[in-house]
Amino acid sequence: MTATPRTALTIAGSDSGGGAGIQADLRTFFANGVHGMVALTAVTVQNSLGVQGFSEIPVDVVTGQIKAVATDMGVDAAKTGMLATAEIINAVAKTLDEVHIGRSGTPFVVDPVAASMTGHALLREEALEAIRTELFPRATLITPNLDEVRLLTGVEVTGPGTQREAAEALLEFGSEWVLVKGGHLDAAQDCVDLLSDGESWVELSGPRFDTRNTHGGGDTMASAITSSLAKGADVPTAVTEGKRFIERCVAESYPLGAGVGPVSPFWRLSSP
Ligand code: PXL
């Protein structure tokens, strides 16, 4: 018998292709030495070429999963990914309060997943407002990419000035920290993410890799950050560790299918 590990919970959707969603989250939690748990919100039908459709899980089954693991196994940190509908978001928010996740209780990361990389909606349109009003005020950290920033704030990020403007607009919704990821900025040489709590401003710079196989990258980064938070790191440390982790996952991503291949959270196992 060994010691009980720290635990992390993902509240997210399934990717039948195995590269994003709960599959990415679980691989990332376990790769970082954290026991991963799941509250499944939706089942997507997809492969490397894109998402063909999805079906959401009944709301009481979503909240039941959260309560089941939180009341027995304990949750050291949690994250959300694909939440599909406003009804699920509202119910999840209420349940998180009941089990003291978020709002300065258990660390809580909100990755505001709105669409797949191939542009398929993973969130019904009316649900964006629920993410802003129900989830962001409960979040320790939110991790939007630039497409999600545009949808949530209307700010078009084109460089450092607008990246800061976007962070300020997002913090207005009430999260403790925001990470505006710059990975989708074409022009930049390096990949620069901006982290802020409104007082400190941290620019995290890292290499940009020449690959199209980045499926699941956002989920994996948010899960790596959540893993570090579960192990007790503060937010700037967790984000720094998450960024280093996702860089290795992208560097060792692999082609699979005719479209976009996945990043590789298990690079530690496959590396010599
Ligand atoms: O990467 C965002 C994402 C999250 N969750 C699920 C997904 C995707 C992208 O395709 O399928 C289930």
Side-chain angles (χ1 to χ4, degrees):
M1 274 233 305
T2 50
T4 301
R6 297 297 178 100
T7 61
L9 169 66
T10 178
I11 306 166
S14 164
D15 167 7
S16 50
I22 58 160
Q23 289 80 2
D25 297 344
L26 284 177
R27 291 207 287 175
T28 303
F29 292 155
F30 283 98
N32 284 290
V34 169
H35 177 85
M37 305 177 297
V38 179
L40 186 66
T41 57
V43 176
T44 70
V45 178
Q46 68 174 299
N47 56 25
S48 73
L49 295 169
V51 179
Q52 291 155 27
F54 69 80
S55 174
E56 55 263 22
I57 301 294
V59 171
D60 57 336
V61 179
V62 176
T63 56
Q65 293 169 86
I66 299 171
K67 283 185 233 174
V69 299
T71 55
D72 172 46
M73 299 156 86
V75 177
D76 292 313
K79 74 164 281 258
T80 56
M82 174 185 182
L83 292 165
T85 67
E87 200 191 359
I88 291 179
I89 293 166
N90 292 333
V92 163
K94 199 165 150 273
T95 306
L96 292 176
D97 286 350
E98 285 168 32
V99 297
H100 309 294
I101 292 173
R103 274 222 171 108
S104 304
T106 300
F108 175 46
V109 176
V110 175
D111 186 17
V113 172
S116 71
M117 274 166 48
T118 43
H120 194 288
L122 295 174
L123 189 70
R124 311 246 186 259
E125 210 171 308
E126 74 282 359
L128 258 192
E129 183 60 11
I131 291 207
R132 280 190 288 251
T133 60
E134 297 303 314
L135 289 186
F136 285 177
R138 292 176 164 83
T140 311
L141 169 71
I142 64 175
T143 61
N145 64 32
L146 297 186
D147 297 325
E148 291 154 358
V149 166
R150 191 182 332 100
L151 280 173
L152 289 159
T153 66
V155 177
E156 184 80 46
V157 176
T158 52
T162 40
Q163 202 171 17
R164 182 167 173 138
E165 185 191 329
E168 282 168 347
L170 287 160
L171 284 167
E172 293 287 316
F173 297 121
S175 64
E176 286 173 44
W177 291 84
V178 60
L179 179 69
V180 177
K181 296 180 293 184
H184 291 194
L185 264 180
D186 296 334
Q189 286 293 80
D190 279 347
C191 173
V192 180
D193 302 335
L194 180 64
L195 174 69
S196 180
D197 62 353
E199 280 171 22
S200 62
W201 295 85
V202 188
E203 270 191 8
L204 298 120
S205 187
R208 183 177 294 275
F209 297 93
D210 184 20
T211 175
R212 72 170 182 152
N213 300 319
T214 56
H215 183 59
D219 314 56
T220 299
M221 184 176 187
S223 296
I225 294 168
T226 305
S227 303
S228 293
L229 292 172
K231 290 187 275 187
D234 60 24
V235 171
T237 305
V239 170
T240 305
E241 289 174 353
K243 189 162 171 72
R244 295 289 94 84
F245 183 82
I246 186 61
E247 284 167 3
R248 293 299 305 271
C249 298
V250 176
E252 307 212 14
S253 63
Y254 46 90
L256 185 65
V260 178
V263 301
S264 179
F266 282 162
W267 52 264
R268 281 196 189 94
L269 292 181
S270 56
S271 299

